[in-house]
Amino acid sequence: MGASRATAQPSLTDTETYKSAAAQAAADLVDDGARVGLGTGSTVAYLLPALAERGLRLRCVATSPATARIARELGLVVEELDDLGRLDIAIDGADQIDPAGWLVKGGGAAHTREKIVARAAERCVVIASAEKVVPALWPPVPLEILRFAARTTLAQIGDAALRDVPPSPDGNLIADYTGPVADPRALAQRLATTPGVVEHGLFEPDLVDDILIAGPAGVEHRKL
Ligand code: 5RP
């Protein structure tokens, strides 16, 4: 029984292989001269060397200090989004992907910058290993909240708690909503209109153009 369950689950090595495959497929979508938004996380960690290896002339925007540092170490040019204005493509990971294309993001606490970058891109590509695909979204949904009256903000949300991580690079606190996520649009609306919430980790399907899901059968390319 235990053995058969173990064989049904992807091993850690499989998962890393899938992340790498999705990242490589996304790197191949980037054109020479492109302005590129770089996400954050362990899947994006495979994207950065794959992009650098292509030797293209790129102008990149990073969604976190960690991504900026690694990208620069690999020789990628990282600039400010305000200096580039629009991006041709943004590539980022996800924590959950539902059948309609709703995402939960922010496991790495970078969802605010990631959402700004996704919205600034002509084409937003999500890369993930197959276990990120879920039949329905579930908690936690990451939050970035203002320090001012943070406990009051969390109480107004209900079912929410601070995450024990450093503040965001923009000086805000990271928290998680832990209540039900039955209706992502309604929840996104409620979180977005709660004073003190800087940004929530629900990404609506309108933000996303392509989803590359890598699993045992290869890389599936979904267009939204
Ligand atoms: C960071 C994110 C990441 O994209 C998300 O957490 C997925 O990360 P990983 O690729 O490590 O599974 O939203 O804020």
Side-chain angles (χ1 to χ4, degrees), residues 42-102:
S42 59
T43 314
V44 167
Y46 289 104
L47 171 73
L48 302 178
L51 262 186
E53 274 167 26
R54 291 201 57 207
L56 306 173
R57 288 163 302 148
L58 304 175
R59 301 177 71 185
C60 302
V61 169
T63 52
S64 63
T67 293
R69 179 180 53 77
I70 297 166
R72 287 193 173 112
E73 285 171 3
L74 290 164
L76 294 167
V77 176
V78 179
E79 301 181 53
E80 296 296 323
L81 179 57
D82 278 351
D83 293 334
L84 294 186
R86 290 292 293 166
L87 300 172
D88 299 293
I89 188 167
I91 305 172
D92 202 352
D95 299 307
Q96 300 177 47
I97 303 165
D98 89 353
W102 277 89

Side-chain angles (χ1 to χ4, degrees), residues 40-41 95-96 104-112 114 138-147 150-151 154 157 159-169 172-178 199-203:
T40 291
D95 299 307
Q96 300 177 47
V104 171
K105 286 185 50 54
H111 56 280
T112 302
E114 291 170 338
W138 59 66
V141 173
L143 304 170
E144 182 164 342
I145 65 172
L146 282 186
R147 284 175 185 271
R151 278 183 285 128
L154 294 176
I157 295 167
D159 299 318
L162 287 179
R163 199 190 298 177
D164 188 15
V165 294
S168 77
N172 300 307
L173 302 179
I174 302 300
D176 290 293
Y177 165 81
T178 55
E199 195 51 80
H200 58 80
L202 287 167
F203 281 45

